[in-house]
Amino acid sequence: MIVLNILLQLCGGIGLFLLGMSLMTDSLKAIAGEALRQWLVRFMDSPLKAMFSGIIITIAVQSSTARTLATIGFVSAGILTFSNAIGVIIGANIGTTSTGWMVALLGLKFSISKIALPLVAIGAILKLLAKERLALMGMTIAGFGLLFFGIDVLQQAMAGVAASVDLSRWPTESLLSKLLLVLIDFVMTILLHSSSAAITATLAALASQAINLEQTLALVIGQNVGTVVTAVLAAVGATTSAKRTAAVHVIFNVVTAIFAFLLLLPGFLWAYQYIAFIHHLDPILIVAAFHTCFSLLGALIFMPFIGRFEQVLLRLLPEQENSLTRYLDDSLYSVPALAIAATERVLLQTLTDIYSLLIKFIRSEIITTMVNTNEMDATIKTVESYLERMSVPQSLSDQQRLILLLRLVVYIRVLRNDLQDVAQVELLKKQQILQELPLALVKHLERQIEYLQTTPFPKFPTDFVNDLIQLEQASNEQQEFLRQKIMHASVNHQLTASQTLDLLAAQRWIVHLIAHTQRVAVLLQQQDTIE
């Protein structure tokens, strides 16, 4: 009965910790999603900067997953080079160790559990009564409270384990017993699906003296290796960028674990035994330091060879996906700002492709039989499917951006349908009274393409959009006049009935095309958040 109670308490403590971590990271990602994206774009122009950025982002968001997902999306988009992405991943592995320090310095050192439940109450009140960022901050506070309440429950359970079973006497002299400890926490990390939960449970066990320092250090190595399984599972059936990112995780953690097992583990144990200053330190702090040194060791091993590392991975995992949709990765859904940004990029490029085709048709550089739009159609369908699977973001700004995205998809569909009747241009160009409108439209489309291809994307300037609005108004005003001209030519037998109908249809087509182009421009002027 006692064993069952301890087991239930252990499960409850881990569950509270995971729930608190989930609430905290999800709300922080919602608050900082856009800032996270902008940081990736602006502050990662070298592998070293990328590494430090990975450390800062992971500490701020308390989620190495958020960093990984951001990296996948922006590598595929071409905004972030893969060598810099490797730097981000290495940095995030270092940043992840901040959880161990937080637990060691706060969760196990101070009786923060006394204020944990009041924090949950404050967070819940803010979530219920406040809006936007303040409500998300409430979820962060509640998650923080649950996290430390879970640590307290976990520590109590580990004290019960220590009273019932003295695992600290488990022999660790042999290589086999050490490898077995690594394997135990490897499996534990996989089952918990969280390295943060695994390290917290391990530190709680050490604080309760259920295990000793040597066992704890071996378990930490196992936890770091166990995190690669999550990355591998996420990459199964995913994009090439996700597979490359998973490969970086696997190689980095496994190679670092080997060096840590052979060099770092014996070094720490020797220092703890023979250096008086270190021997008098709290073992929990020594474990937190070991965890950080583990990742720093990996950085020292891989950073000097990051260029060669990149070449090997690119050769082993060549790009296979469609050039436009390759970075619409399902894993980005957990950071809505990044999924939205990836979709925006695809849609802007698709819009550019449609405008480029229209310009070439109007200038007679190509004819309809020369164009295959199957890839464009497939891209639009992929984007629509990707958006259908995207859940509504918590952040109001992300919700607004998503709505604008959905509107942009509709307009792109309309423009794609306009492209089907582009042969009408030939009829317009043969009539002097009708050929001015398509030529005027070409000038505007060329200017739009210049803006669309700028990274980061600037919203359309007001004067440019106003010019397009004036062109639409002029085309509407001329429509009746031109219709009368066409009918007059038909009455005077200058046009056959069939030619008259074709010209009227061509006139409607160009007027509608100008109107649709103008609406897209107005939408992209409103979309301040596209960058």
Side-chain angles (χ1 to χ4, degrees):
M1 192 67 180
I2 295 175
V3 175
L4 179 61
N5 288 335
I6 291 173
L7 184 61
L8 291 175
Q9 197 172 16
L10 272 174
C11 293
I14 292 172
L16 285 168
F17 179 88
L18 289 173
L19 180 60
M21 182 64 76
S22 177
L23 279 175
M24 189 169 68
T25 56
D26 287 350
S27 53
L28 283 172
K29 283 187 285 185
I31 293 170
E34 183 61 17
L36 174 67
R37 186 173 73 86
Q38 293 179 13
W39 183 288
L40 279 166
V41 173
R42 296 175 185 174
F43 300 103
M44 299 192 184
D45 53 357
S46 73
L48 191 60
K49 285 184 181 179
M51 185 186 75
F52 284 112
S53 297
I55 295 172
I56 294 169
I57 289 170
T58 307
I59 292 174
V61 182
Q62 277 299 306
S63 172
S64 58
T65 303
R67 168 269 311 154
T68 302
L69 301 178
T71 305
I72 291 171
F74 286 97
V75 168
S76 301
I79 296 172
L80 192 64
T81 65
F82 188 55
S83 60
N84 291 350
I86 295 172
V88 176
I89 293 167
I90 292 172
N93 274 281
I94 298 171
T96 305
T97 65
S98 64
T99 302
W101 286 104
M102 182 173 66
V103 172
L105 294 173
L106 295 176
L108 298 176
K109 286 295 180 184
F110 303 100
S111 186
I112 201 168
S113 61
K114 293 180 180 178
I115 63 168
L117 291 180
L119 285 176
V120 174
I122 293 169
I125 291 169
L126 285 175
K127 172 61 179 173
L128 290 172
L129 302 181
K131 295 181 179 179
E132 269 303 288
R133 287 182 176 272
L134 198 56
L136 290 171
M137 189 56 67
M139 289 182 64
T140 303
I141 294 170
F144 190 78
L146 280 175
L147 185 148
F148 282 102
F149 185 67
I151 291 174
D152 186 62
V153 173
L154 198 57
Q155 193 172 8
Q156 292 175 27
M158 285 300 178
V161 171
S164 303
V165 183
D166 189 3
L167 295 175
S168 62
R169 293 186 179 181
W170 183 325
T172 53
E173 291 80 12
S174 68
L175 177 64
L176 182 62
S177 61
K178 291 178 182 178
L179 288 173
L180 187 58
L181 285 169
V182 172
L183 179 63
I184 288 171
D185 237 38
F186 172 80
V187 175
M188 179 180 174
T189 305
I190 295 172
L191 294 175
L192 293 178
H193 206 64
S194 169
S195 60
S196 296
I199 188 68
T200 301
T202 302
L203 289 173
L206 177 63
S208 304
Q209 298 182 346
I211 56 176
N212 60 35
L213 178 62
E214 187 173 359
Q215 292 170 330
T216 306
L217 297 183
L219 291 173
V220 168
I221 296 174
Q223 289 158 11
N224 279 274
V225 179
T227 59
V228 305
V229 176
T230 303
V232 170
L233 291 176
V236 174
T239 62
T240 302
S241 293
K243 292 175 182 176
R244 288 173 180 167
T245 305
V248 172
H249 270 288
V250 172
I251 296 171
F252 178 86
N253 283 32
V254 171
V255 171
T256 306
I258 293 171
F259 277 88
F261 188 82
L262 297 176
L263 300 176
L264 206 60
L265 176 59
F268 263 71
L269 292 174
W270 180 89
Y272 181 72
Q273 186 173 358
Y274 294 105
I275 299 176
F277 169 73
I278 295 177
H279 186 76
H280 287 93
L281 288 176
D282 192 319
I284 297 171
L285 294 178
I286 293 175
V287 174
F290 179 83
H291 194 197
T292 300
C293 288
F294 179 99
S295 296
L296 288 174
L297 176 65
L300 290 173
I301 294 170
F302 282 92
M303 287 301 290
F305 308 102
I306 204 165
R308 293 182 182 178
F309 191 28
E310 176 189 20
Q311 292 174 6
V312 170
L313 288 174
L314 292 178
R315 195 178 299 115
L316 290 174
L317 296 167
E319 189 62 68
Q320 296 177 344
E321 288 87 0
N322 176 291
S323 58
L324 272 184
T325 59
R326 69 181 186 271
Y327 58 102
L328 294 180
D329 199 290
D330 288 355
S331 57
L332 293 177
Y333 287 143
S334 66
V335 188
L338 301 175
I340 291 170
T343 312
E344 285 171 354
R345 195 110 186 123
V346 175
L347 291 177
L348 293 179
Q349 185 57 52
T350 303
L351 195 58
T352 300
D353 293 342
I354 292 174
Y355 286 165
S356 298
L357 285 175
L358 287 170
I359 291 170
K360 290 178 180 179
F361 277 122
I362 293 172
R363 288 180 170 168
S364 300
E365 295 175 5
I366 57 175
I367 57 176
T368 53
T369 55
M370 296 171 60
V371 178
N372 185 349
T373 58
N374 290 339
E375 185 174 337
M376 182 186 296
D377 294 336
T379 297
I380 295 172
K381 286 182 180 178
T382 301
V383 170
E384 290 175 339
S385 175
Y386 189 76
L387 289 173
E388 284 176 3
R389 299 194 304 273
M390 189 184 298
S391 58
V392 178
Q394 296 182 54
S395 168
L396 181 58
S397 61
D398 285 342
Q399 291 174 15
Q400 292 171 342
R401 293 172 67 215
L402 181 58
I403 291 170
L404 289 172
L405 266 189
L406 295 172
R407 291 176 61 193
L408 186 57
V409 171
V410 173
Y411 285 137
I412 286 176
R413 268 291 181 194
V414 171
L415 286 168
R416 171 64 187 89
N417 291 334
D418 290 337
L419 198 58
Q420 289 179 334
D421 299 322
V422 77
Q424 308 278 18
V425 169
E426 295 302 319
L427 294 173
L428 296 172
K429 289 165 65 177
K430 291 176 183 178
Q431 302 296 322
Q432 187 174 1
I433 59 173
L434 297 174
Q435 62 185 216
E436 293 181 3
L437 283 177
L439 295 176
L441 178 60
V442 163
K443 295 180 181 179
H444 283 279
L445 293 182
E446 287 177 332
R447 288 185 63 191
Q448 283 204 38
I449 289 174
E450 290 178 8
Y451 289 114
L452 292 171
Q453 291 183 328
T454 303
T455 303
F457 173 74
K459 72 171 185 174
F460 285 159
T462 304
D463 59 342
F464 168 68
V465 176
N466 288 339
D467 289 344
L468 195 52
I469 292 173
Q470 290 175 8
L471 178 62
E472 186 203 12
Q473 291 172 346
S475 68
N476 286 327
E477 291 169 0
Q478 293 176 15
Q479 187 172 15
E480 186 58 33
F481 172 75
L482 295 174
R483 186 183 291 111
Q484 293 298 328
K485 283 277 189 180
I486 294 170
M487 295 302 296
H488 181 72
S490 177
V491 170
N492 290 332
H493 303 291
Q494 296 172 350
L495 297 171
T496 64
S498 176
Q499 289 173 330
T500 300
L501 292 174
D502 288 342
L503 277 174
L504 289 173
Q507 185 205 24
R508 285 195 302 273
W509 177 81
I510 190 64
V511 170
H512 290 163
L513 179 60
I514 291 172
H516 299 153
T517 306
Q518 175 264 328
R519 288 168 189 163
V520 169
V522 170
L523 179 67
L524 294 180
Q525 182 194 29
Q526 297 170 354
Q527 198 148 340
D528 296 325
T529 50
I530 293 183
E531 293 189 2

